[in-house]
């Protein structure tokens, strides 16, 4: 509910109280890190670069986030974490008035809407780049494990100015493998996942290659969207097949 001015309070005082509620980017990061452990200042700045956030700037150029800005950021992060939406779709959801507490829509008879939301990243958006130190700090991975993943071709860093950087997808791969490592799974055991992913990518390329190579911008844009949806559907199908096979272990 909007704050009402107290009796005898000047409008300027009310405005000052509202400004006091604004938070710096560092304070926002600290406030959200319990729910989103991988939140970082660079990630918030990236979301601003993608026109998902528009914090107020002080005359000195510092960002100030109002409570509504923080709530919007929380919504974005939850849509990424819980519904695996690419930023393009999140932008559409926010424009449509999506709130953080809006429930996930139920799947239709063909599972279309739910399945389409299983793609954790966009194929056309790499996101920010992270150094090895950043990846290790955010994922709590053993640096030796990251190097092992590179040796086996599971992740591919990009060297710039003598420093190797990893994109957001590769960082999340490291995070996932770190969880598997707790059960003794190492880089050599991940060949089966890499081989499977390569085969799926080759299949989707075969389906959409002509449209992806099109010189028509609209057709190429539609092809990229179709690629993301197909990736989500195949990911969901693979999950269902895995669950079906694993049921034999618990009979």
């Amino acid at each position: 509910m909007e704050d009402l001015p107290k009796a005898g309070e000047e409008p300027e005082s009310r405005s000052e109280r509202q400004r006091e509620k604004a938070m710096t980017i560092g304070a926002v990061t600290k406030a959200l890190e319990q729910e989103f452990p991988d939140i970082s200042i660079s990630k918030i700045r990236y979301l601003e670069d993608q026109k998902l956030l528009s914090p107020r700037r002080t005359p000195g150029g510092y960002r100030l986030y109002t409570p509504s800005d923080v709530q919007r950021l929380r919504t974005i992060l939850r849509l990424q974490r819980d519904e695996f939406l690419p930023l393009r779709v999140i932008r559409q959801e926010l424009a449509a008035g999506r709130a953080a507490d809006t429930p996930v829509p139920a799947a239709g008879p063909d599972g279309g809407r739910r399945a389409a939301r299983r793609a954790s990243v966009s194929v056309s958006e790499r996101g920010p780049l992270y150094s090895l130190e950043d990846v290790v700090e955010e994922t709590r991975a053993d640096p030796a494990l990251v190097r092992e993943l590179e040796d086996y071709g599971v992740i591919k860093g990009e060297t710039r100015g003598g420093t190797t950087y990893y994109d957001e997808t590769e960082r999340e791969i490291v995070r996932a493998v770190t969880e598997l490592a707790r059960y003794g799974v190492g880089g050599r055991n991940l060949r089966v996942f890499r081989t499977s992913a390569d085969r799926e990518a080759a299949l989707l390329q075969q389906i959409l290659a002509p449209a992806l190579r099109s010189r028509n911008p609209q057709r190429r844009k539609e092809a990229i969207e179709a690629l993301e949806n197909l990736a989500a559907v195949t990911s969901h199908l693979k999950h269902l097949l895995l669950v079906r096979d694993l049921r034999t272990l618990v009979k």
Side-chain angles (χ1 to χ4, degrees):
M1 184 175 179
E2 185 180 359
D3 293 337
L4 297 176
K6 297 178 182 178
E9 182 181 42
E10 297 294 332
E12 291 77 12
S13 299
R14 182 188 178 195
S15 178
E16 288 173 1
R17 287 194 297 109
Q18 289 177 330
R19 283 198 296 270
E20 287 174 0
K21 294 180 180 179
M23 303 169 66
T24 64
I25 192 170
V28 171
T29 302
K30 188 173 182 62
L32 296 179
E33 64 183 1
Q34 183 173 356
E35 182 177 359
F36 308 100
D38 63 342
I39 189 68
S40 65
I41 289 176
S42 62
K43 183 168 186 176
I44 296 176
R45 286 174 176 167
Y46 174 72
L47 293 174
E48 182 182 344
D49 290 341
Q50 296 300 307
K51 311 302 182 184
L52 288 164
L53 293 170
S54 300
R56 182 169 62 86
R57 295 285 189 126
T58 68
Y62 292 98
R63 297 170 174 83
L64 288 179
Y65 296 80
T66 64
S68 61
D69 290 330
V70 176
Q71 182 60 26
R72 182 181 176 89
L73 175 57
R74 183 178 284 109
T75 299
I76 294 168
L77 297 174
R78 286 177 179 172
L79 289 173
Q80 284 187 307
R81 181 195 64 192
D82 301 338
E83 301 188 33
F84 310 109
L85 298 184
L87 297 183
R88 171 182 54 79
V89 178
I90 290 176
R91 191 177 295 108
Q92 295 170 355
E93 294 279 339
L94 293 173
R98 179 65 181 268
D101 56 355
T102 302
V104 180
D110 61 353
R113 184 169 178 83
R114 180 69 60 86
R117 290 193 163 188
R118 290 186 175 270
S120 58
V121 294
S122 168
V123 298
S124 58
E125 297 175 354
R126 292 191 64 188
L129 296 178
Y130 303 86
S131 66
L132 174 61
E133 291 74 16
D134 292 334
V135 171
V136 169
E137 180 181 357
E138 294 195 22
T139 64
R140 294 178 173 82
D142 186 336
L145 176 62
V146 179
R147 288 191 290 271
E148 184 181 10
L149 294 179
E150 279 199 288
D151 291 340
Y152 283 98
V154 179
I155 61 174
K156 299 177 181 179
E158 177 181 334
T159 302
R160 294 183 181 181
T163 301
T164 302
Y165 293 95
Y166 307 87
D167 65 22
E168 201 162 14
T169 302
E170 290 165 328
R171 183 198 64 180
E172 292 308 305
I173 291 173
V174 172
R175 190 191 304 280
V177 175
T178 300
E179 289 297 314
L180 292 176
R182 295 169 52 196
Y183 298 90
V185 178
R188 62 175 56 86
N189 305 118
L190 299 175
R191 287 175 176 172
V192 61
F193 296 103
R194 175 64 193 273
T195 301
S196 175
D198 288 345
R199 289 175 177 172
E200 290 177 30
L203 174 62
L204 299 187
Q205 180 183 23
Q206 182 180 356
I207 296 171
L208 294 170
L212 289 171
R213 291 196 298 265
S214 174
R215 294 183 179 180
N216 184 318
Q218 182 59 32
R219 189 184 180 200
R220 191 170 186 277
K221 178 182 177 183
E222 291 173 354
I224 292 174
E225 292 178 356
L227 182 62
E228 291 180 343
N229 287 334
L230 281 174
V233 173
T234 56
S235 177
H236 186 43
L237 173 60
K238 184 167 59 178
H239 170 73
L240 294 174
L241 292 172
L242 178 62
V243 169
R244 182 199 63 188
D245 292 345
L246 291 179
R247 284 183 183 143
T248 61
L249 301 178
V250 296
K251 285 185 177 178

